[in-house]
Amino acid sequence: LLCFFFLLFLCHSAKAQQTIGLMLNTPESYEGYTLFSTRSDLVYLIDNCGFEINAWQVTQKGNAPAKLATDGDLYKLSRVSTNLFGNGGGGAGLLERYSWEGELEWSMEYNSTEHISHHDFTILPNENILILTWQLKTQLEAQEKGILDIPPGGIWSEVILEIKPLDNNQYEIVWQWDLFDHLVQEVSPTLNNYGLIESHPHKLAVNLVADNGPDWFHFNSIDYNEELDQILLSARNLNEIYIIDHSTTSEEAAGSLGGNSGKGGDFLFRWGNPINYAQGTTDDQFSFGQHSAKWVEGDLNSLGNIVLFNNGAGIPEGLFYSSILEIDPEVNGFNYTIDNGTNQFMPLEPHWEYTATPPTSFYSSRISSVERLPNGNTLINEGRSGNFFEVDENKNIVWQYVNPVGEFGPLTQGLTNSDADVFSIQRYLLDSEYLSGKNLEPQDPIELDPIDYECVIVSNEKLEKFEIKIQNPFSETLNMWGTDGKRYSFQILSINGTKIDEGEFVNYTSVPLPSLKRGIYILKINDLIYKLIKS
């Protein structure tokens, strides 16, 4: 049975106005623990009440991604001060692993004059790590690919590494993929990557890319699909997302044959800006500076779909607003369908889209993230403002939290956080193996001098242990049964905590509530809280 999770949030604003921390809880929020890193050297895990569950102090400041390993350890990507490779946005160079208690267990610095890790990573089921890296390609190497307008210092190619962590801060590269192996150009027939762009949608036509200095492509997210053994990538500067085959060997990944797909390391799928492969027009572009492309997991109605945070940079109408896009790729075995009429990868338009009302009230020019939750809700991180919120399938906001931590640590309630940037967030479910055996006792809210509020989380599962039965939903009369012979006290409250009725019962009680409007109410039995629905 699906559990109903209830969050009751009563805010008493005698001391300060609520500006940071928990802003909204509703019964429709999907219960779990949200992980986020801040511009300080602190990483936090909170529950849906905004209470601190755990905190890690890491060696470097910065809001680069943090993620949990299956044993609850924390991996944190950081930017190191000895960044010799370049000064590109999202550059990192350091990946560290911390125990639940905060002890540094493993560290990998990948940073030199020729390469650096950047932006994002993901942990594979075998505990290896896929990580984005930049690798320097000289002017000569770029010329050999037929690239025009080469910056004086060369180009940073996107290289994905699969890292196997070893003891004593060592690691082994067990697989890699280089974007430079999958370019096509039609300016120089003498080069081995010559071809007509419209005939090679599985390769990148590099001379259609705008000149962005050495960071031409700017990959900013990576995700993994275990069932397909495929990797999902987001390229901000190209306004496009890609899927590649991970079942290949490194040698096959450098070519166009091999793997489950038979296409080696070429693109299996791309979406967002078909002009990049000489198809469509500007009317067919949907992605604008996007981040955080992720596969949907757990939601049976959209399993295998992809969600992405569409930042909105360069939208033709000239407005500044972001959106969340969900697409439903048409999978054919381990490959993806191209529409015969348009020669574009399917789908031709988003399956679902979230925008705010008005649209310009939701905007983050860069960073940011999105995640589809198992109940169909969508968890969104408006990165530039550190505004986390969750919307249901009808696009109603059902949970909201504002990052209360700046560059120098937590802020006092009532202040505005000018250093709220958060690159990405993740929510881990209550029964997640990542948190098995961990102390998940809620602590105080993160912000200093917090406003007092009550926030209780219980489920049907807990009520059943007390042998209580409730007619829910109810119509004119609410019926409650106690099957263990014990005396129970109850309160019926509105969603904002106003008392409607109260009483006691031992075996049975019937409470007439004919005048109540249809909607959601609160039922409190002893110290248990339950979501009540009047139909």
Side-chain angles (χ1 to χ4, degrees):
L1 295 176
L2 294 176
C3 290
F4 288 102
F5 296 100
F6 182 74
L7 300 143
L8 171 60
F9 176 43
L10 297 178
C11 176
H12 305 286
S13 56
K15 290 190 290 185
Q17 181 183 2
Q18 187 86 7
T19 57
I20 51 179
L22 185 65
M23 308 300 287
L24 176 67
N25 275 321
T26 75
E28 280 64 45
S29 177
Y30 195 82
E31 186 57 41
Y33 302 101
T34 302
L35 181 73
F36 65 99
S37 57
T38 68
R39 293 193 65 183
S40 74
D41 56 358
L42 294 166
V43 179
Y44 289 95
L45 185 70
I46 60 171
D47 63 15
N48 276 29
C49 291
F51 296 148
E52 179 183 320
I53 299 299
N54 202 17
W56 294 262
Q57 186 167 19
V58 297
T59 61
Q60 304 290 332
K61 288 185 176 183
N63 62 2
K67 300 178 183 181
L68 295 182
T70 53
D71 62 358
D73 281 3
L74 178 86
Y75 276 103
K76 174 67 170 66
L77 192 64
S78 296
R79 188 182 190 114
V80 291
S81 58
T82 57
N83 186 350
L84 302 177
F85 176 78
N87 196 32
L94 180 67
L95 182 66
E96 296 177 315
R97 179 170 179 150
Y98 293 85
S99 69
W100 179 264
E101 294 74 23
E103 179 184 356
L104 179 60
E105 297 179 323
W106 178 84
S107 177
M108 181 192 82
E109 187 166 331
Y110 193 78
N111 180 42
S112 75
T113 56
E114 296 182 350
H115 62 246
I116 189 172
S117 58
H118 71 93
H119 277 94
D120 199 14
F121 67 98
T122 192
I123 305 169
L124 296 175
N126 64 0
E127 297 295 328
N128 287 355
I129 300 163
L130 291 173
I131 191 167
L132 299 177
T133 73
W134 283 317
Q135 306 277 351
L136 179 64
K137 304 293 183 180
T138 65
Q139 281 191 313
L140 178 59
E141 290 173 307
Q143 289 169 357
E144 290 174 345
K145 294 294 184 180
I147 299 175
L148 306 175
D149 301 323
I150 304 167
I155 290 175
W156 304 349
S157 182
E158 297 286 353
V159 176
I160 301 168
L161 301 180
E162 182 179 344
I163 299 295
K164 180 180 180 180
L166 304 174
D167 293 337
N168 301 316
N169 295 333
Q170 300 299 306
Y171 64 91
E172 178 185 358
I173 298 174
V174 298
W175 183 86
Q176 67 178 27
W177 174 91
D178 189 338
L179 179 59
F180 247 55
D181 294 326
H182 306 282
L183 306 181
V184 63
Q185 51 81 30
E186 53 184 34
V187 297
S188 180
T190 61
L191 300 177
N192 60 11
N193 65 339
Y194 176 79
L196 295 177
I197 294 170
E198 60 266 26
S199 301
H200 292 82
H202 300 283
K203 294 182 181 291
L204 181 65
V206 72
N207 288 317
L208 292 184
V209 178
D211 182 359
N212 293 292
D215 181 18
W216 272 34
F217 315 111
H218 200 86
F219 284 10
N220 57 28
S221 77
I222 182 169
D223 195 32
Y224 177 73
N225 186 310
E226 182 179 7
E227 182 181 356
L228 296 172
D229 198 6
Q230 294 177 357
I231 297 169
L232 174 62
L233 304 162
S234 167
R236 174 182 171 87
N237 288 351
L238 306 176
N239 302 304
E240 204 169 21
I241 63 174
Y242 307 103
I243 293 176
I244 61 172
D245 195 340
H246 177 256
S247 71
T248 59
T249 65
S250 293
E251 291 74 20
E252 291 171 334
S256 300
L257 296 173
N260 292 334
S261 66
K263 289 186 169 58
D266 285 351
F267 298 148
L268 306 182
F269 174 79
R270 62 198 301 177
W271 193 87
N273 190 15
I275 295 176
N276 285 348
Y277 53 100
Q279 301 298 334
T281 68
T282 54
D283 292 337
D284 299 304
Q285 180 178 348
F286 287 98
S287 294
F288 295 90
Q290 79 291 326
H291 284 72
S292 187
K294 292 181 182 176
W295 269 289
V296 170
E297 299 179 2
D299 179 6
L300 297 179
N301 293 323
S302 55
L303 193 63
N305 287 10
I306 292 169
V307 290
L308 58 93
F309 191 106
N310 196 28
N311 293 73
I315 290 178
E317 55 261 45
L319 299 176
F320 294 96
Y321 71 92
S322 299
S323 61
I324 304 301
L325 303 181
E326 178 186 356
I327 63 171
D328 184 6
E330 192 168 306
V331 184
N332 180 14
F334 292 97
N335 287 284
Y336 295 81
T337 302
I338 294 177
D339 179 67
N340 288 331
T342 63
N343 292 324
Q344 298 175 32
F345 280 89
M346 299 290 286
L348 300 181
E349 58 184 24
H351 169 73
W352 181 87
E353 181 175 4
Y354 170 81
T355 55
T357 305
T360 53
S361 64
F362 168 46
Y363 179 63
S364 182
S365 59
R366 58 181 181 85
I367 59 177
S368 309
S369 65
V370 61
E371 176 184 359
R372 175 60 51 77
L373 301 173
N375 68 340
N377 288 358
T378 304
L379 181 65
I380 299 168
N381 163 40
E382 189 178 5
R384 290 284 284 142
S385 58
N387 178 32
F388 315 156
F389 63 101
E390 179 184 343
V391 299
D392 62 18
E393 293 177 331
N394 295 319
K395 307 177 185 179
N396 301 306
I397 296 178
V398 297
W399 181 83
Q400 185 179 18
Y401 182 89
V402 176
N403 172 25
V405 184
E407 181 179 355
F408 301 101
L411 277 66
T412 300
Q413 183 61 265
L415 299 179
T416 301
N417 190 356
S418 60
D419 292 319
D421 292 27
V422 173
F423 185 87
S424 64
I425 65 176
Q426 287 80 36
R427 181 166 294 173
Y428 297 88
L429 308 186
L430 291 179
D431 58 353
S432 169
E433 63 175 325
Y434 297 85
L435 302 172
S436 177
K438 303 303 180 185
N439 179 10
L440 302 176
E441 186 69 25
Q443 303 173 51
D444 293 333
I446 296 172
E447 63 269 19
L448 305 178
D449 195 20
I451 294 172
D452 293 333
Y453 60 86
E454 179 185 359
C455 189
V456 183
I457 306 171
V458 297
S459 71
N460 272 354
E461 204 168 44
K462 189 171 181 181
L463 283 171
E464 288 165 1
K465 293 178 182 178
F466 286 83
E467 301 183 21
I468 300 170
K469 295 183 179 180
I470 300 166
Q471 178 189 356
N472 193 24
F474 73 97
S475 180
E476 297 293 310
T477 303
L478 172 63
N479 297 307
M480 295 178 281
W481 296 265
T483 61
D484 54 5
K486 295 180 181 179
R487 180 174 296 276
Y488 291 97
S489 61
F490 70 88
Q491 289 184 335
I492 300 169
L493 310 170
S494 70
I495 195 64
N496 64 3
T498 302
K499 186 189 300 182
I500 296 171
D501 204 337
E502 62 181 345
E504 294 182 343
F505 69 96
V506 176
N507 295 316
Y508 170 76
T509 187
S510 179
V511 184
L513 297 165
S515 62
L516 281 189
K517 296 180 180 179
R518 288 186 298 175
I520 297 172
Y521 293 88
I522 299 161
L523 174 62
K524 191 170 184 179
I525 301 179
N526 289 0
D527 60 346
L528 305 177
I529 294 182
Y530 192 68
K531 181 175 90 170
L532 197 60
I533 301 174
K534 173 147 190 205
S535 60

